[in-house]
Amino acid sequence: MGIEQMRDRMSSYIYGNITVLAAAIAVDPDAIHHGSAVWAVLGTAVLTYLAHVLSHLVAHGFGDDDSASDDARRESVLTIVRNANPIATSGLIPAVLYAVAWIGWLPAPWAQTAALVILVVRIGMVGVFMQRFSGKRPTFLGLWGGIVLAAVAFVLGFVKVVLTH
């Protein structure tokens, strides 16, 4: 995988986790008990994925690319779709946790806390992942950068909920 694809995937990973984090923050215990929390996080992940793919497809239409073959265009579309996958998958763990609480196997507050912690940890590990994928040994600085990113992401998610709900 090339560096540009890796950057695209990392961007999708961070963006997807931040948008799902905001949805997970916005969910209240009643929504978990009624099952709508499952659909809220899955809907956020899927619709963000589709919007991301659509925007990239439109953006890739800019410029004179008449020399590109149909195979090259098809591969470009497949790459865009594949690189956006981390957005779609970001809602899976919170959705499973909310579903488990919905059927009564876990208290709703625990499910929500676990979902938020998992999303924040996923974001917090970005610094370490970036170092690893760059062929470097993970350092404390990479971990610290991820922790700062996770804190900023949590604040963004919280502010989004406060301003939009």
Side-chain angles (χ1 to χ4, degrees):
M1 180 181 316
I3 189 73
E4 284 306 314
Q5 278 189 282
M6 199 55 166
R7 287 176 177 156
D8 240 10
R9 274 200 188 188
M10 186 59 71
S11 173
S12 295
Y13 178 87
I14 296 166
Y15 184 62
N17 280 286
I18 290 172
T19 56
V20 170
L21 178 62
I25 292 169
V27 167
D28 63 26
D30 285 339
I32 295 172
H33 288 298
H34 296 350
S36 62
V38 173
W39 305 116
V41 294
L42 285 179
T44 297
V46 170
L47 293 173
T48 302
Y49 169 81
L50 292 173
H52 182 84
V53 168
L54 178 63
S55 66
H56 273 264
L57 290 174
V58 170
H60 278 79
F62 279 112
D64 187 17
D65 203 9
D66 292 335
S67 63
S69 69
D70 286 342
D71 287 341
R73 284 189 189 101
R74 193 173 305 110
E75 184 58 35
S76 177
V77 169
L78 290 174
T79 298
I80 290 167
V81 168
R82 206 172 21 249
N83 288 346
N85 281 342
I87 296 171
T89 60
S90 63
L92 293 177
I93 294 172
V96 167
L97 286 166
Y98 290 160
V100 167
W102 179 23
I103 59 176
W105 292 353
L106 188 67
W110 291 12
Q112 185 169 28
T113 300
L116 296 176
V117 167
I118 287 169
L119 289 165
V120 168
V121 167
R122 284 172 53 105
I123 296 166
M125 294 304 294
V126 164
V128 172
F129 293 156
M130 287 177 62
Q131 289 179 323
R132 250 347 233 162
F133 294 142
S134 297
K136 300 174 184 170
R137 287 188 65 209
T139 64
F140 179 74
L141 187 60
L143 180 61
W144 182 245
I147 291 169
V148 170
L149 176 63
V152 169
F154 186 81
V155 169
L156 287 173
F158 184 77
V159 169
K160 181 185 182 302
V161 170
V162 168
L163 294 177
T164 60
H165 288 85

